Amino acid sequence: MTPSRPQPAVQARRQFEAALGAANVFFDDTDIAAYQDKFAIDDEAHHPAGAVAPATVEEIQAVVRIAREHGIALWPISRGKNLGYGGSAPLLAGSVVLDLSRMKKIDYDEANGTVLLEPGVGFYDLYDFLQQRGLKHWLSTPGNSWGSVVGNALDRGVGYTPYGENTSKICGMEVVLADGTLVRTGMGALSGSPTWQLYRYGFGPCWDQLFVQSNFGIVTKMGLWLMPEPESLMGMDVEFDHPDDLGPLIDAIAPLRREGLLQQSPTIGNWLRAAAVLTTRDQWTKEPGALSDSVIKAIRDKYKVGWWGVSLRLYGRESVNKAAYAVLEEAMNRLKPMSLRPTVWKRGEPLEYSGWTGTPITFPMQNANWHGGRGGHIGFSPVLPQSGSAAMAQFKRTYERYREYGMDYQASFAFGERHLINVNAVLLNKDDPAMMKKVDPFLHALVADAKAHGYGEYRTHLDYMDLVASTYDFNDHALRKLNERVKTALDPTGVIAPGKSGIWPASARRGAA
Amino acid sequence: MTPSRPQPAVQARRQFEAALGAANVFFDDTDIAAYQDKFAIDDEAHHPAGAVAPATVEEIQAVVRIAREHGIALWPISRGKNLGYGGSAPLLAGSVVLDLSRMKKIDYDEANGTVLLEPGVGFYDLYDFLQQRGLKHWLSTPGNSWGSVVGNALDRGVGYTPYGENTSKICGMEVVLADGTLVRTGMGALSGSPTWQLYRYGFGPCWDQLFVQSNFGIVTKMGLWLMPEPESLMGMDVEFDHPDDLGPLIDAIAPLRREGLLQQSPTIGNWLRAAAVLTTRDQWTKEPGALSDSVIKAIRDKYKVGWWGVSLRLYGRESVNKAAYAVLEEAMNRLKPMSLRPTVWKRGEPLEYSGWTGTPITFPMQNANWHGGRGGHIGFSPVLPQSGSAAMAQFKRTYERYREYGMDYQASFAFGERHLINVNAVLLNKDDPAMMKKVDPFLHALVADAKAHGYGEYRTHLDYMDLVASTYDFNDHALRKLNERVKTALDPTGVIAPGKSGIWPASARRGAA
């Protein structure tokens, strides 16, 4: 269990109210409930003490000062929609959530295709903003698009377009440190620079990625690159009939991705990833434990989904896309898919509402209803090589674990340029105590299985941050110790998100979970 | 003038010799001369005390321990070929050069197209290594290819292929900190991970870019991505007749670069960038001061070079390249160039020896002979927006400064994805005292001109690191102060490269130059 800090003194709350106005300080029971993790395994583990919602950098600096004075830990959230990984809840129970969702400024540089965003800007906000200006640039939206653009990039979330690895499109930040100092990174360190959002590295060490999945500062502005609207979007949705098709499919896509013919990073999803947003489990079976092959077959037949499916997309000039499409089509047909549906769009035609066009979507969150009851999911997301045999072994190992624990296997293998992220969703019914009891040992088993093969998670739920950090163990956890030296130098008392990504200040270090 | 530290005591040299063998410790006068900056404006400014050349991580750790014990500052170099920016010389006179050129291990992952390199591996070493294995991956070589692959990426050097921004292809590092701790970044922090060179971010903050242009650690291994050999290479060399052609050329290329039709980052160079490697100034004029228009015309006529020239290249499938070529050709012809020479290569044909094919080259260094005498050059390299009007203004401003100081203007505008780096080479004759006397005020004027327009350098010579760092002045130099807090936390006495990129430990802070 997570240790908790004492509730902030009345005096601290008064100071927050004086600084932000009483309307932006939240310490009632209903407030606290509102900031809990809706998908939590253990509702008690990450209770916030309350929340404060500043609207400006100056107000954030005031909050930080008050928190420092009273020994309060702050848990910054952008819009708090990091569902499956902790939502809006703090790691350390008793922390005050620093809710930045009121900060919604957008600076758009249309000529260069960049934005400078505050953390409260959601994907829908930015989409509306760009649509009003003719949608000359597209977003890269994740499956749950009501979250924050900045928050998603800060947790290394991904989208579906060639700009899908959002964190790699960050260009310059503004950050408040634990002592209240305001820092700008990259070219933003040069006052009034017109290149802040154009060249990310600046002069000397580049800090952007040190503030990602981090507790070294509070990001108050983030530069981000946007994809120019392409002339054409072509591609294909391909379904595969057998579990064993995964390996050859990965080995066919990987070289095309590395050579750059495919600029977008496709995701191979299993049948349940497709079906869990279309139906619910009780429509098909009342049997406990993992689904049987016959039920899986019935669901797949109804919705005509493969055991695995993948969508490939090409963005750019129509003539170039046509030439590249022929290469993709040949590569996919060699694998004898059960179906291959082409898709074509040209500038001027109406846009499909999907992640492929960077349109905000929320239907993937429907999978939380799979089991009925108060639904939820939690992610297990190790990084793998782009190797068919490695992915097949990981799939088989994980699938067996799901069956052992009686869970329904929902998985995807998302390509980066040279890696795969194997996102496994553990679908939950919080009203099923027997199921909920199994989740924690199940996730421990999955983390241990991955570690035994040299794999680590790219991102994890609050409950597992210490555990996952502990798997990054080279030279007696030298990297974590380095992080903690910096944390201690910048934030010795742990004002900002102590424990985030397993990083604690020296004063608060606790053992791995 | 740079302050100097006292010469290391005899005892320290004895300890270095005991740790590394006497053959790898260099403190004679000829040794010291060998490690000076060959292109220095002031030969006295950056005298090393000597050099040590460890061959292993353990030896580096021993050197760091001895240096700490004796208060010696180390200046790590990979192969010391950072010419124009300081070569192998330390910023702080009296430092001991930590020469890593004996560390030449190459680990090649052919399936994934990655290497794990030690700092001593030169571009020629890696090219030979890959060529012996069929050259299935290409390098991204800079104009001076006898330098280190790791060193080039660490100083944010660039090449000419789609992998030309070398620093952005870094994936995972191994680093020795000032206290001797060995750290691995990214997935390398997970012992035995097969994904160290495949996914760069790891879990939590990603450190790679914090060790770039930095003195926070000594990089002992670097993961780097290599471009798969393309099926086809197509492109064109285009020359433009008038100085004013620069603006429209930039505005034509920039959108093609941002939309990704052009994956490679082209460089627009002026006539002298082409001519200074083909001839010498005394063949054309004995007149002092900047060259007259008539001399420029004569040289351009002889070598048929434009006032500006650019090479555009497409890498990939032949069918895709052909479609993209048509788009490029139309865009260039609209600008009415004085010449447009197509170039075509297909896999299996002999490869051109050029940066476009990632072949190591050294002929660009010929420009050091332009003035005769002991030649050299020094770089002035501000970051600009990809805007024709901004680039034209910067060109005109800088050209006037060159004329004011009687210098011959050699310049290029190198595209990144959303920025330009305007590399200006100041060509020198170290045997011309009148010229050498002008260089320092000239560079100060150039830095001040850039700063007045919000532009800062991406990289600079040792002499100007404090000056350039001082232009990154947002919020009273908050970023430099942040760097110095980390420097002080990790290396309080300044064992590793004090002053690099303007970063000093608290104990040694000095004012900006």
Side-chain angles (χ1 to χ4, degrees), chain A residues 143-387:
Chain A
N144 164 18
S145 301
W146 76 80
S148 156
V149 182
V150 169
N152 185 267
L154 284 179
D155 277 306
R156 299 208 178 95
V158 297
Y160 303 88
T161 74
Y163 279 53
E165 191 174 67
N166 294 319
T167 200
S168 71
K169 301 301 173 187
I170 295 173
C171 189
M173 289 181 176
E174 182 184 84
V175 180
V176 172
L177 303 180
D179 67 356
T181 304
L182 189 69
V183 179
R184 288 185 177 171
T185 66
M187 301 307 294
L190 195 144
S191 306
S193 172
T195 61
W196 188 12
Q197 271 61 67
L198 303 181
Y199 178 67
R200 63 163 59 86
Y201 299 116
F203 178 71
C206 175
W207 275 81
D208 287 356
Q209 281 296 327
L210 224 66
F211 293 117
V212 173
Q213 289 191 350
S214 155
N215 54 14
F216 295 155
I218 300 160
V219 176
T220 53
K221 286 195 180 72
M222 178 189 285
L224 211 62
W225 290 355
L226 301 179
M227 184 176 74
E229 180 199 40
E231 177 183 283
S232 142
L233 169 57
M234 293 182 68
M236 57 189 77
D237 302 322
V238 199
E239 302 289 332
F240 294 86
D241 204 24
H242 301 291
D244 289 353
D245 289 334
L246 176 68
L249 179 55
I250 283 171
D251 288 335
I253 293 174
L256 299 170
R257 183 67 192 87
R258 287 197 293 266
E259 75 170 80
L261 183 104
L262 199 60
Q263 292 285 323
Q264 163 253 358
S265 290
T267 295
I268 300 169
N270 82 330
W271 68 272
L272 183 56
R273 186 164 178 268
V277 300
L278 303 171
T279 183
T280 52
R281 193 180 202 274
D282 60 4
Q283 303 295 305
W284 301 91
T285 181
K286 305 287 180 216
E287 281 177 26
L291 292 173
S292 66
D293 285 349
S294 62
V295 173
I296 293 173
K297 185 175 181 328
I299 299 175
R300 286 184 49 211
D301 284 351
K302 163 88 186 266
Y303 296 105
K304 297 186 174 49
V305 295
W307 219 100
W308 300 105
V310 69
S311 294
L312 307 177
R313 292 291 185 276
L314 299 159
Y315 299 75
R317 301 292 174 127
E318 189 178 27
S319 57
V320 174
N321 282 352
K322 279 183 177 168
Y325 185 91
V327 178
L328 288 187
E329 190 178 38
E330 199 205 323
M332 287 300 104
N333 278 332
R334 256 199 309 263
L335 300 173
K336 305 196 189 314
M338 59 179 264
S339 66
L340 186 157
R341 287 188 307 276
T343 165
V344 176
W345 172 88
K346 273 192 73 171
R347 189 183 291 163
E349 295 174 3
L351 268 182
E352 181 188 69
Y353 273 63
S354 79
W356 315 115
T357 62
T359 311
I361 49 173
T362 56
F363 72 86
M365 296 300 296
Q366 292 292 336
N367 69 0
N369 293 329
W370 173 248
H371 284 292
R374 284 180 302 143
H377 61 74
I378 187 163
F380 166 67
S381 311
V383 180
L384 307 184
Q386 280 180 359
S387 145

Side-chain angles (χ1 to χ4, degrees), chain A residues 182 189 191 207 473-475 483, chain B residues 182 189 191 207 473-475 483:
Chain A
L182 189 69
S191 306
W207 275 81
D473 56 357
F474 175 76
N475 191 21
N483 282 325
Chain B
L182 189 69
S191 306
W207 274 82
D473 57 357
F474 175 77
N475 190 21
N483 281 326

Side-chain angles (χ1 to χ4, degrees), chain B residues 289-290 400-407 438-439 441-443 445:
Chain B
E400 279 314 304
R401 282 283 186 212
Y402 268 75
R403 291 162 66 96
E404 179 189 340
Y405 282 86
M407 301 287 192
K438 288 185 297 189
V439 175
F442 177 45
L443 282 159

